[in-house]
Amino acid sequence: MRHLMLILALAGSAATAQGVDDLPDRPIARREVVAVVRHQFAAMDSNRDGFVTEREFVAYRERQARAPERRGELAVFDHVGARWFERADTEGSGRITLAQAEARPLRLFDTADTNGDGVVSVEEKQLASLLMGLGGR
């Protein structure tokens, strides 16, 4: 159940320390999560080779700390957590592909999308919030 909430507190497709209550009070489409992950991946992949290395990740986190990016009502997704790289590097190659960057957030999104319609509805968000409250953060 706790994993259900991680997508609602991404990130990110990356993961974020923000909570489900920071999300907009409206449905969130899977394509929106994809767009955020792709935007962040592009921002991290400074040499545009299609991979994010640990060095690029660290540089991105430093830039993020100095000038956090805010993208409207989905700003909760803008933060990339300190453990993002190790979680995304599922192959242990030291390089993250876009597919790897998308995998975890989309898996978690799909778990939260209980009816499988490609949208986390307000009701699904409320259910997830309730479940998180029962299970603790």
Side-chain angles (χ1 to χ4, degrees):
M1 296 288 176
R2 191 171 186 157
H3 289 268
L4 171 70
M5 291 312 303
L6 291 177
I7 184 61
L8 300 174
L10 275 175
S13 209
T16 169
Q18 300 288 327
V20 68
D21 294 329
D22 295 325
L23 289 170
D25 203 19
R26 65 163 180 77
I28 299 173
R30 191 175 198 272
R31 65 180 158 65
E32 291 179 89
V33 175
V34 168
V36 169
V37 171
R38 288 181 179 183
H39 175 81
Q40 287 177 331
F41 186 87
M44 283 188 261
D45 183 14
S46 59
N47 67 359
R48 304 291 183 248
D49 67 354
F51 299 98
V52 173
T53 63
E54 190 165 7
R55 174 180 253 160
E56 287 173 315
F57 169 68
V58 169
Y60 176 80
R61 291 260 307 150
E62 289 170 357
R63 288 190 312 271
Q64 189 181 48
R66 287 191 305 271
E69 183 177 349
R70 295 291 174 235
R71 296 188 61 195
E73 66 180 347
L74 290 181
V76 67
F77 293 117
D78 286 337
H79 178 78
V80 175
R83 295 187 60 207
W84 176 87
F85 191 88
E86 68 186 68
R87 288 180 176 152
D89 188 11
T90 55
E91 297 173 1
S93 68
R95 311 183 323 168
I96 308 300
T97 64
L98 178 58
Q100 287 173 302
E102 289 176 333
R104 187 167 188 262
L106 292 179
R107 183 178 64 248
L108 296 171
F109 180 91
D110 293 342
T111 301
D113 180 16
T114 58
N115 66 1
D117 67 353
V119 175
V120 172
S121 68
V122 173
E123 293 78 16
E124 287 166 325
K125 176 190 169 235
Q126 290 169 343
L127 174 62
S129 181
L130 174 65
L131 292 173
M132 188 171 189
L134 292 174
R137 287 186 184 226

